[in-house]
Amino acid sequence: MVNFVVDSTFGITREYAQKHGIKVASLTLGLGEKEYVEGYREDWDAFYSDYSKGKLAAKSSQPSPEKFIDAINEAYADDPDGEVIIFTIGDRLSGTIGSANIAVASFPDRRIAAIDSHNGGVSSYMFLQEMIKARDGGASFDEIVELAIGIRDRISTRFIPASLTELARGGRVNKLLSRIGNLLNIKPVFEYRANELTVLSKCLGVKRAMQAAIETLPEFDRIAILYIYSDELVDQLKERLIKKFEMSDVDVEPMCPVAGAHIGIGTVGIVTLASEKKSE
């Protein structure tokens, strides 16, 4: 059987991990003198509760190779003759794939692959769901690896940060422009796709930004809404999507604390898996 190992930014629950036989290597976050293990969704409240008070900047650290080695060994303990594929957050966001590759090299006699998902947070979760669907449908190790490489850049995230402060702190937005944008309520629509972060548009106010994000969506096979800790804007965005695409409902998924630390609480966005014929 093909077993999966992911890092904690994929944002799965313990129940989901157990049901699908997934092992998790966790990132950590620092807030002042305190350290938080990102872990599973059930573990996020402690960090977000403290971070939402807004007094301290947060820092994140990628898993060590030893954490991936431990996760691989756990997979083999459950399935001694199995194969292992590790999926990680995109390397433009974190160096986690480097730790995964070091771990893979520690098992020269085993069939293991480490693959950069080119995604992060809810988009990585959507990517993982597609991999599980393929595996459970009978796909082989090689077929899953091929599918992963083929599908990862069809998944994209459009997001609207509540503030530009965290993005400026991480060097992804100019600090002066961040202050001006926050002051004037200018809301950029960012896209993260194919491991690249770009600005699609800049709008005055969040409602116009939502509309701009929706208008630039590709033809898609799957769609979900993301939010970071506060879901205040989710209903507005859901209503717009349901009306635009005549859907009965839209999945809503929370973003992991690592995303929260680097993008900011209150962010809302849309994740899509583009239809294959429209993915170029």
Side-chain angles (χ1 to χ4, degrees), residues 3-197:
N3 300 278
F4 295 143
V5 173
V6 301
D7 66 61
S8 58
T9 65
F10 282 63
I12 63 176
T13 64
R14 284 182 173 82
E15 181 182 5
Y16 190 89
Q18 184 174 10
K19 178 180 178 180
H20 297 288
I22 301 167
K23 308 304 178 184
V24 175
S26 188
L27 281 77
T28 57
L29 297 111
L31 198 60
E33 299 298 318
K34 295 182 68 173
E35 184 175 270
Y36 305 78
V37 176
E38 186 173 52
Y40 300 87
R41 285 193 190 187
E42 300 93 326
D43 305 323
W44 294 355
D45 281 348
F47 170 79
Y48 273 131
S49 177
D50 290 343
Y51 187 56
S52 64
K53 296 170 185 174
K55 295 180 180 180
L56 296 169
K59 296 181 179 180
S60 61
S61 299
Q62 68 195 50
S64 66
E66 288 73 24
K67 286 186 178 180
F68 279 108
I69 289 171
D70 289 345
I72 293 167
N73 281 326
E74 288 175 16
Y76 286 136
D78 292 344
D79 184 10
D81 298 319
E83 301 163 316
V84 175
I85 302 177
I86 303 170
F87 298 121
T88 72
I89 184 174
D91 68 2
R92 291 299 298 271
L93 304 177
S94 168
T96 298
I97 186 65
S99 292
N101 282 324
I102 292 171
V104 169
S106 300
F107 297 86
D109 299 324
R110 292 284 197 168
R111 198 148 194 243
I112 311 177
I115 298 175
D116 179 340
S117 76
H118 284 189
N119 285 280
V122 175
S123 60
S124 288
Y125 179 55
M126 185 178 286
F127 170 86
L128 175 62
Q129 289 175 315
E130 294 297 314
M131 298 304 102
I132 291 171
K133 187 190 304 182
R135 181 197 65 185
D136 294 352
S140 67
F141 180 97
D142 290 332
E143 288 170 336
I144 294 171
V145 169
E146 183 179 359
L147 175 63
I149 301 302
I151 204 173
R152 62 186 181 181
D153 293 342
R154 288 170 50 202
I155 299 175
S156 64
T157 300
R158 287 160 173 75
F159 66 91
I160 305 157
S163 164
L164 296 175
T165 302
E166 282 84 357
L167 286 163
R169 188 182 291 137
R172 293 182 171 88
V173 172
N174 180 280
K175 290 185 178 180
L176 176 59
L177 293 179
S178 167
R179 289 194 290 271
I180 294 172
N182 289 338
L183 180 64
L184 299 180
N185 196 32
I186 295 172
K187 298 295 184 184
V189 179
F190 290 90
E191 180 185 42
Y192 180 55
R193 188 182 79 84
N195 220 9
E196 295 289 342
L197 181 67

